[in-house]
Amino acid sequence: MAGKPKPMSQIKQLIILNKQGKGTKTIARMLGMSKNTVKAYLVKLEKLLGQTGTNLTIDDLLALEEPEIHSRFHPGNPSYKDPRYDHFKMRLEYFRKELKRTGVTRTLLWEEYRQSHPDGYSYSQFCHHLDQHDLARSKPTMVLAHPPGEKLYIDFAGKTIDYIDRETGEVISCQFFVACLPCSDYAFAMAVPSQRIADFLHALACCLEHLGGVPSLLVPDNLKSAVDKADKYEPDINRALEDFANHYGTAVLPARARRPQDKALVENQVKVLYSRVYAKLRNMQFFDLYALNQAIKMRIRAHNQTRMQRRPYCREEKFLADEKPLLGKLPEDRFELRYHALLTVAKNNHVYLARDKQYYSVPYTLIGKKVKAVYTRSMFYVYHEGKKVAVHARSTKGGYSTVEDHLCSQHRHYRDRSPEYYRELARKKSEVLYRYVSLLFEQNRYPEQLYRTCDGLLALSRKSDPDTFDRACKIAMDHQVYSYGFIRNVLENNMAHEQPDITQKALPKHDNVRGKEYYDQQKLQF
């Protein structure tokens, strides 16, 4: 009886043969047991039938199910009957608290336990009773039902996956994104540079495109890219993830903090992919992220097409049959990550985005007011009191992005200045002023230095008589003087109608003229 207990079906056969009056040797021969084993079971049978107060008969024993009859013949030796257990039980709570302290191990506690109680349990029994205590304290778990197409569990693996930079030879560690649909256990995985929000949402968008639809709920872990503040009851979901969910028409339900059993399927999926992806790629080298993800994609396809244990189908067959038809429709455009900022409109009616070191114009009527900026990788939007007031193509060059309609009339005039702009204004006044302004810009000076001169000339033309002003311009052109001050002096001194005759007269003929021979001589002769 010290060996392995016999099956209860054989014990029932033993009881039946004994009831029929067969001897010990006959029973042993017929059942293939030793005589001592048969004798031991017959002794136990007599004790069971002879117990007072039970009124148990052979027929009653034969009517019992196998587990019940097994407990009658093999009641075991409960540890709580051992005198050592009383001393151990009194210190169980102390052991449990001490194990939570830094550096305290079971071996250390057992050594201290044996010093105070030399006849106590061995190390294996000590650990066994600690495990039994932890098991008794553990809470029961519930089997969760997962309707098809309802949830998508999301997580990052604890271990990174690597590729080699082709140019530098540096080993680049990447994060391993994993997602699965719990009903079919259909998996998706890819490598991304980091767990930052942009990489996380890019991987999530790729996952939904791979699935060909959108589930009703996204269930991420409490990683920072998804949840700003982890809370058991009301976690603060990252604003970018909310925008992502709104774009795809789904909702976000983060798993409870420090409750990995809430997403046990994706946790188990990570463990499986360690052997089906990590292990199979361990001896391969990749030189860019694209090649690494292509290899991962092949291993994930093989994983989804592998027949599941205790199931007559694979994950992909279950997904295509039950889940994919129930997924929501993908939007036409892929999600672009949106950033939000609260900015103040400066006096130059521009807002400054420090991230890009770029200024963006808004209507000048909003100077000094707070506006909300929403920008993506390619566009920059400005809102005030719920209305869109400005749209710009996003620029990261550092500078100004200005829409002319946002400027006031003075600023618009200042911004539109150019030589051609002033020529056109002068042409509208008179042909003489147009010629004078054209000659003004032909000087060897920067055009920006002449803009104020043109503004002054136009101001004088508005205040003066047109004919008088044209005469003043002609005088200036005759003297080849291109200056606002000269025109103003002519007008103020009424010199426009007193134009002097400045035609050059030829010199009179006389004999006192030196020819070229005079200057060619080597030695001057007087």
Side-chain angles (χ1 to χ4, degrees):
M1 290 296 293
K4 186 176 179 180
K6 298 298 179 181
M8 291 303 104
S9 58
Q10 284 192 342
I11 293 179
K12 282 190 173 183
Q13 288 289 302
L14 185 149
I15 296 174
I16 292 171
L17 293 173
N18 179 67
K19 181 181 177 182
Q20 294 175 355
K22 300 291 192 291
T24 302
K25 290 183 179 180
T26 304
I27 295 174
R29 185 175 66 252
M30 293 179 66
L31 297 180
M33 296 183 186
S34 68
K35 291 185 294 183
N36 292 333
T37 302
V38 173
K39 288 180 181 179
Y41 276 109
L42 292 176
V43 170
K44 285 195 172 190
L45 179 61
E46 291 179 4
K47 289 182 178 179
L48 288 173
L49 297 176
Q51 287 180 353
T52 58
T54 58
N55 296 324
L56 193 66
T57 65
I58 291 179
D59 293 333
D60 294 333
L61 282 175
L62 293 173
L64 295 175
E65 295 292 335
E66 289 190 7
E68 295 175 309
I69 197 170
H70 182 276
S71 63
R72 299 296 180 99
F73 281 89
H74 299 284
N77 184 22
S79 60
Y80 56 82
K81 292 184 179 180
D82 192 325
R84 296 174 296 178
Y85 185 74
D86 292 333
H87 177 265
F88 182 84
K89 180 176 65 175
M90 294 174 59
R91 308 195 66 187
L92 267 174
E93 195 63 26
Y94 165 77
F95 293 147
R96 189 179 65 83
K97 290 181 179 179
E98 289 297 305
L99 283 172
K100 294 181 179 180
R101 299 178 64 177
T102 304
V104 178
T105 63
R106 289 186 173 192
T107 303
L108 177 62
L109 291 178
W110 176 73
E111 291 173 353
E112 295 174 354
Y113 162 74
R114 287 300 294 263
Q115 288 177 0
S116 62
H117 197 68
D119 297 331
Y121 288 122
S122 64
Y123 179 72
S124 61
Q125 285 295 306
F126 179 83
C127 293
H128 169 74
H129 289 297
L130 286 178
D131 290 337
Q132 290 295 108
H133 178 63
D134 292 339
L135 186 63
R137 289 176 57 89
S138 63
K139 298 178 180 180
T141 58
M142 181 179 68
V143 178
L144 298 176
H146 300 292
E150 182 188 39
K151 295 179 181 179
L152 177 69
Y153 286 103
I154 305 161
D155 200 4
F156 279 99
K159 298 180 181 179
T160 58
I161 193 165
D162 307 326
Y163 72 91
I164 301 172
D165 189 296
R166 191 184 304 273
E167 296 181 356
T168 63
E170 179 185 3
V171 176
I172 308 296
S173 296
C174 297
Q175 298 294 322
F176 194 63
F177 173 88
V178 180
C180 78
L181 293 165
C183 178
S184 61
D185 204 31
Y186 187 79
F188 172 85
M190 69 178 294
V192 290
S194 69
Q195 292 190 23
R196 289 193 296 268
I197 184 66
D199 294 328
F200 169 67
L201 294 183
H202 168 71
L204 190 51
C206 291
C207 175
L208 296 181
E209 291 172 4
H210 174 77
L211 296 177
V214 183
S216 303
L217 289 173
L218 303 177
V219 186
D221 195 3
N222 283 275
L223 62 156
K224 194 64 177 177
S225 299
V227 178
D228 284 334
K229 182 181 179 182
D231 186 85
K232 182 178 180 180
Y233 301 105
E234 293 183 349
D236 294 338
I237 300 171
N238 186 295
R239 175 69 176 273
L241 182 58
E242 285 182 340
D243 290 343
F244 180 93
N246 293 335
H247 180 80
Y248 283 94
T250 184
V252 181
L253 180 65
R256 293 177 298 171
R258 297 180 294 276
R259 292 294 186 275
Q261 61 267 33
D262 282 3
K263 50 183 180 58
L265 283 173
V266 72
E267 295 281 352
N268 183 66
Q269 196 75 246
V270 170
K271 295 178 182 178
V272 174
L273 294 184
Y274 279 150
S275 61
R276 295 190 176 179
V277 175
Y278 279 69
K280 292 187 177 181
L281 299 181
R282 69 188 187 281
N283 295 324
M284 301 176 65
Q285 290 185 344
F286 304 95
F287 297 96
D288 55 60
L289 186 59
Y290 175 79
L292 175 60
N293 275 323
Q294 287 299 110
I296 292 173
K297 184 177 180 180
M298 293 175 60
R299 300 304 182 279
I300 293 295
R301 183 189 296 118
H303 165 68
N304 286 327
Q305 293 175 351
T306 300
R307 191 73 63 187
M308 301 173 70
Q309 292 183 359
R310 299 185 296 275
R311 296 286 189 277
Y313 51 79
C314 66
R315 293 174 175 84
E316 186 171 359
E317 291 171 338
K318 179 71 171 176
F319 165 70
L320 294 176
D322 294 345
E323 294 214 83
K324 189 168 184 178
L326 300 179
L327 296 177
K329 186 179 179 181
L330 285 170
E332 294 182 1
D333 301 324
R334 194 173 190 182
F335 174 77
E336 267 196 302
L337 179 59
R338 292 175 176 265
Y339 301 91
H340 300 261
L342 185 63
L343 305 174
T344 302
V345 182
K347 291 183 178 180
N348 62 357
N349 64 284
H350 284 69
V351 292
Y352 179 65
L353 185 61
R355 181 173 184 171
D356 298 340
K357 298 182 179 179
Q358 183 78 13
Y359 291 88
Y360 297 94
S361 67
V362 296
Y364 69 94
T365 54
L366 299 177
I367 290 175
K369 296 183 179 180
K370 297 285 187 180
V371 294
K372 291 183 178 180
V374 179
Y375 56 99
T376 66
R377 183 180 58 84
S378 57
M379 299 299 293
F380 184 89
Y381 306 93
V382 183
Y383 296 86
H384 178 67
E385 295 181 350
K387 296 181 180 180
K388 186 186 295 184
V389 295
V391 179
H392 296 271
R394 188 177 172 193
S395 174
T396 57
K397 298 178 181 179
Y400 286 82
S401 295
T402 305
V403 176
E404 185 175 345
D405 292 341
H406 293 164
L407 305 177
C408 65
S409 58
Q410 293 179 347
H411 292 172
R412 200 177 304 170
H413 156 73
Y414 186 85
R415 188 173 182 272
D416 289 342
R417 295 182 307 170
S418 68
E420 189 58 34
Y421 169 76
Y422 282 109
R423 289 192 188 99
E424 288 301 318
L425 290 179
R427 188 194 298 276
K428 294 176 182 179
K429 293 291 182 181
S430 70
E431 188 64 27
V432 176
L433 181 57
Y434 170 74
R435 285 190 287 111
Y436 186 75
V437 170
S438 297
L439 292 171
L440 178 70
F441 282 111
E442 290 178 3
Q443 298 180 93
N444 189 21
R445 296 175 64 185
Y446 287 108
E448 288 80 2
Q449 295 176 322
L450 303 173
Y451 290 165
R452 293 179 66 87
T453 300
C454 293
D455 290 334
L457 291 174
L458 292 169
L460 286 176
S461 70
R462 290 191 293 269
K463 299 175 184 177
S464 306
D465 177 70
D467 293 336
T468 303
F469 185 77
D470 286 348
R471 288 175 182 273
C473 290
K474 289 179 181 179
I475 293 173
M477 286 189 288
D478 289 341
H479 289 80
Q480 297 183 0
V481 178
Y482 305 103
S483 164
Y484 161 77
F486 182 84
I487 300 291
R488 184 190 60 188
N489 290 336
V490 169
L491 294 173
E492 289 179 352
N493 296 318
N494 297 320
M495 298 170 58
H497 297 285
E498 300 178 2
Q499 180 175 1
D501 185 9
I502 59 172
T503 46
Q504 295 182 355
K505 296 181 180 180
L507 293 175
K509 294 183 179 181
H510 57 87
D511 296 333
N512 190 17
V513 177
R514 298 171 184 171
K516 65 176 181 178
E517 294 83 2
Y518 174 83
Y519 294 98
D520 288 340
Q521 62 183 340
Q522 298 296 321
K523 185 177 181 181
L524 296 178
Q525 297 178 0
F526 297 99

